[in-house]
Amino acid sequence: MAYDSDHLFRLVQDDHIGQVVDLEKRIGETAIGDSETLFAQLIRRTLAAWSRAYGGPDQPGAPGDMLRRILAAARAAIRRILDSLIPRAATALGESLGEALALGVRQGGEFVRAASGRRRRTVAVPRVGRALLDEARRMGELVVQRRDRALFLLHPDRVSRWSHLLVALGAARAAVPAVRAHIAWVINTAVNEGLDAVVRASAQMRLWVSEADACVRCLAYTGRTALIGESFPGGRSWDPRQRRIRAPGVDGPPLHAHCRCRCVPWSDSWTTSGVPFPLALEREAHRSLAYGRARPTESRAARLRAARELLRTEPDLLPTVEARARAAVRTGRFTTAA
C-alpha cells in the first residue's frame, strides 16, 4: 500500500515528537521537584536581609559579621537545594531510560507500518547500555559545577553589593535549566537508540527527520539518508558561518541540547502516490528557512543568512518558498506566515 507523506509528517512531527516531549516534561518535573520555588524564595529572603542590613538593594554592603552571615545563609541554602537535586534528578532520569528505549522501538514500528503498509515482526527493546547510564550519571557533574561556581562567588571579598549576590544566586539557579537540557539530550538519545533497533531489523537506511521549527543545523540534515552503520556528514548547516567543512561525521541526532530530531527507518522500495517522504522533508525544511520559523534561542541574523544560502544553492524552490525567502533577504525580516 502506498504511503502518504502528509500522514507520515503528522505521525512523526506531531504524535511521536509530542510523546517524547511529554516524557521529558514528566521526568523534568520529578527531577526538579520544588527547586525552582526554593530558589525564588531564597532570592526574596536574601533581598530582604540585604535591605534590612544596608537600607536597600542599591546600597553597598559593608564588610563585617552581617555580610558574612548573609552569605553563609545563602551558601547553606544553595547546598541544601542542589545537593538534594542531584540524586533526585539522576534517579528520575536513570529509571526512565528503559521507557525511552521502548518508546523509540514502538514509534519505529508504527512508522514502518505507516510507510511500508506492512506489519513487521516485533523488535526487542535494547538493554540500557553503559553510554546511556554514564550520560545519566553526568547529571550530577553539571549540577556540582554550577553549585561550586555559586559558592566561589559568595565570598565576602567578592560581594559588596546586592547585584553581586544576585549573580551568585543566578549561577546556582542555572542548574535547573541545565538539568532540563540534559534530560532532553539523554532521553532523545535513548529514543533514537530504540529507533535504530527498528532500522536494523526492518530497513536499509536511516532517514533524518527534524522538527518543523528546527535550527539551521538540523534543517541541513532533514531528508538525508545514511546506510546502516554509516555516519551522516559532519558540520552541516544552512548558515554558512556555522558550517564546519572538516568536521567528523555524526552518528545521528540529537545534535544539541533540546534537539528532538530523529532517524526513522527508511527504504526506497516503499512507494507513494504523491511526493516521496525524503523530498517532502527537504521541502518542509526549505519552507521553514524561507518563513523564518525559528525558536527564540536562534538569532534572526542566522536565519537570514540561511535564507540567503537557500536562494543561492537551491534552483528548484517552490514559487511561494522562493518569494518568501527573497522578501526576507531584501527586507531583513520575516513576515508572519498566513
Side-chain angles (χ1 to χ4, degrees):
M1 184 177 68
Y3 68 81
D4 177 73
S5 288
D6 287 340
H7 172 63
L8 297 185
F9 265 122
R10 291 191 297 273
L11 178 64
V12 177
Q13 292 188 330
D14 293 340
D15 298 347
H16 286 177
I17 291 180
Q19 291 165 7
V20 176
V21 171
D22 289 343
L23 178 57
E24 289 176 24
K25 289 181 177 178
R26 176 160 54 82
I27 299 169
E29 289 173 358
T30 302
I32 300 302
D34 59 352
S35 297
E36 289 179 313
T37 299
L38 293 175
F39 271 120
Q41 293 172 351
L42 174 59
I43 291 172
R44 288 196 296 269
R45 288 199 309 271
T46 53
L47 174 58
W50 189 279
S51 298
R52 286 194 304 270
Y54 304 113
D58 297 330
Q59 301 302 312
D65 289 343
M66 180 59 69
L67 179 60
R68 284 193 291 270
R69 285 199 295 270
I70 292 174
L71 297 184
R75 286 196 298 268
I78 287 171
R79 287 187 180 278
R80 285 195 303 272
I81 296 170
L82 294 186
D83 288 357
S84 63
L85 171 62
I86 292 171
R88 186 171 64 243
T91 299
L93 180 56
E95 291 179 347
S96 301
L97 294 176
E99 182 180 356
L101 286 165
L103 179 60
V105 169
R106 179 172 60 78
Q107 290 183 345
E110 290 175 354
F111 183 86
V112 169
R113 288 193 293 274
S116 69
R118 298 186 296 274
R119 183 177 294 275
R120 301 299 178 101
R121 64 182 179 85
T122 301
V123 176
V125 177
R127 295 179 60 184
V128 177
R130 180 175 297 277
L132 279 176
L133 289 171
D134 288 344
E135 281 295 309
R137 295 189 189 102
R138 200 164 67 85
M139 181 89 73
E141 298 175 16
L142 299 175
V143 177
V144 167
Q145 289 172 1
R146 286 152 180 83
R147 182 201 67 191
D148 291 351
R149 173 62 178 168
L151 297 179
F152 172 80
L153 293 172
L154 287 170
H155 189 278
D157 293 342
R158 300 182 183 91
V159 178
S160 60
R161 293 188 175 276
W162 159 250
S163 59
H164 301 158
L165 178 53
L166 187 59
V167 168
L169 296 177
R173 197 176 192 176
V176 174
V179 165
R180 293 191 189 279
H182 194 65
I183 287 171
W185 170 269
V186 176
I187 289 302
N188 280 277
T189 299
V191 169
N192 273 286
E193 285 193 15
L195 284 165
D196 282 350
V198 181
V199 173
R200 291 190 295 271
S202 59
Q204 297 86 35
M205 293 182 290
R206 306 160 73 217
L207 173 64
W208 194 300
V209 182
S210 67
E211 294 179 271
D213 61 346
C215 70
V216 293
R217 290 175 59 205
C218 291
L219 289 174
Y221 286 94
T222 193
R224 309 295 178 180
T225 56
L227 295 174
I228 295 174
E230 291 186 352
S231 299
F232 292 88
R236 293 183 63 92
S237 177
W238 276 106
D239 178 4
R241 294 189 184 180
Q242 299 183 34
R243 199 171 291 155
R244 300 292 181 266
I245 303 300
R246 295 181 178 83
V250 295
D251 292 334
L255 277 183
H256 52 79
H258 296 297
C259 173
R260 298 191 181 99
C261 293
R262 67 250 323 286
C263 282
V264 298
W266 190 253
S267 172
D268 286 336
S269 66
W270 297 339
T271 59
T272 179
S273 56
V275 178
F277 190 49
L279 177 57
L281 288 171
E282 289 187 33
R283 289 181 175 177
E284 184 64 21
H286 296 165
R287 185 173 291 107
S288 177
L289 294 168
Y291 282 53
R293 295 173 181 165
R295 293 180 177 176
T297 53
E298 191 168 40
S299 71
R300 183 176 63 178
R303 300 298 288 209
L304 287 170
R305 289 192 297 268
R308 186 177 294 108
E309 185 71 1
L310 177 69
L311 292 170
R312 188 183 71 83
T313 60
E314 293 293 332
D316 297 320
L317 294 172
L318 296 175
T320 54
V321 171
E322 182 177 356
R324 287 278 187 162
R326 291 195 182 281
V329 170
R330 184 179 66 255
T331 63
R333 62 186 181 88
F334 294 97
T335 57
T336 304

